[in-house]
Amino acid sequence: MNRAQMLLLDILYPNRCDCCDNRIPYDQLLCEACINLLLQQRVAYADWEQQHPENPWLEGTVLFPYEDAARTGVLEMKNGRRGFCVFSAKLLAELLAETNGISLVTWVPVTARRRRRQGYAHAEYLARCIAKELALPVRGDLLKEHAGTIRQHDLPAAERQKYAERFSGTDADLSDQHILLIDDILTTGATLRRCASLLLEMGAARVDIAAVCAGIHTDKTEKAP
């Protein structure tokens, strides 16, 4: 598609920021105001890990607290909008580029029913964007989510660990593989903990995780570097 076609498309179907819904140029992912806000709200994985120690993965990477513009961006990502997803994937890839030896990228799966309802699997799209940035292979045949009637975000923290048992592994052989496991949000860690443990049971030598947001309540007056 050439520039003239893109400009016409932008007139007919204006590009809007996922985080504030303001109109933006067709070649931008988010508006400048939301980008600046997000970059000011960056958090460190270590802040989350202090509250949730003893995890099966070796290293973790997150970008933002699950609040404000980032929360809106994730919710819109679940609804099928992809600007915030691509923006976040690029930032995560920049951080993950320093990690040596990653064999492949995978993601926390969703049921076929949920994929049909959403139109796509947002964690998969995020993972594929990250893998493309890092020039790494992706695999979607490693984990499965079994259907249920309750979504995890409706459950109290104490019940999430048991609910995470809806995930299972496959018969894939991951011997000596270093797996990067992707999800959109890291809250209690129950889902990623279950999925990472399954990958290790399947023979993975190491699992690292990455998520766009983490359940960290920040002091608005103190921003992470």
Side-chain angles (χ1 to χ4, degrees):
M1 186 176 294
N2 60 39
R3 182 176 176 83
Q5 291 172 320
M6 288 296 293
L7 287 171
L8 178 60
L9 184 64
D10 190 50
I11 293 172
L12 297 175
Y13 303 98
N15 189 24
R16 295 187 178 277
C17 175
D18 290 0
C19 298
C20 68
D21 208 40
N22 286 335
R23 186 167 178 171
I24 55 177
Y26 71 89
D27 56 349
Q28 288 188 11
L29 297 173
L30 301 173
C31 73
E32 292 298 326
C34 286
I35 289 174
N36 291 334
L37 176 61
L38 288 166
L39 295 180
Q40 291 172 16
Q41 293 183 326
R42 291 279 294 272
V43 293
Y45 167 76
D47 296 333
W48 180 91
E49 190 177 38
Q50 287 180 353
Q51 302 172 13
H52 306 276
E54 299 182 5
N55 298 295
W57 54 81
L58 187 61
E59 299 288 345
T61 305
V62 298
L63 293 174
F64 315 114
Y66 187 53
E67 56 189 37
D68 300 335
R71 182 177 185 275
T72 302
V74 168
L75 293 176
E76 290 302 317
M77 183 167 67
K78 292 176 185 289
N79 290 331
R81 296 176 67 176
R82 308 190 185 191
F84 177 74
C85 183
V86 175
F87 172 79
S88 298
K90 291 179 181 294
L91 288 182
L92 284 169
E94 289 176 6
L95 297 175
L96 293 165
E98 301 176 3
T99 303
N100 296 320
I102 298 175
S103 306
L104 60 92
V105 181
T106 192
W107 56 88
V108 173
V110 297
T111 62
R113 179 180 178 183
R114 187 179 176 196
R115 178 192 286 270
R116 288 193 299 270
R117 185 172 68 248
Q118 291 186 176
Y120 82 129
H122 57 280
E124 176 183 351
Y125 187 75
L126 176 66
R128 290 187 180 279
C129 288
I130 292 170
K132 182 178 180 180
E133 292 288 330
L134 297 174
L136 289 171
V138 293
R139 287 187 64 174
D141 62 335
L142 305 181
L143 300 166
K144 295 181 180 179
E145 181 188 20
H146 303 283
T149 58
I150 302 173
R151 297 308 307 160
Q152 182 168 256
H153 63 259
D154 296 323
L155 296 174
E159 297 181 27
R160 292 191 178 199
Q161 190 65 45
K162 182 172 179 57
Y163 188 66
E165 294 176 7
R166 72 190 188 280
F167 295 99
S168 66
T170 66
D171 58 358
D173 181 8
L174 298 180
S175 299
D176 302 321
Q177 300 291 296
H178 176 177
I179 312 297
L180 176 60
L181 175 63
I182 305 296
D183 203 3
D184 57 344
I185 308 170
L186 175 62
T187 49
T188 65
T191 295
L192 282 164
R193 198 173 291 115
R194 168 70 172 175
C195 290
S197 295
L198 290 168
L199 293 171
L200 291 169
E201 290 173 8
M202 293 158 64
R206 168 175 168 175
V207 176
D208 293 342
I209 62 103
V212 176
C213 291
I216 303 171
H217 295 291
T218 60
D219 182 343
K220 303 294 185 181
T221 64
E222 295 182 10
K223 307 299 180 184

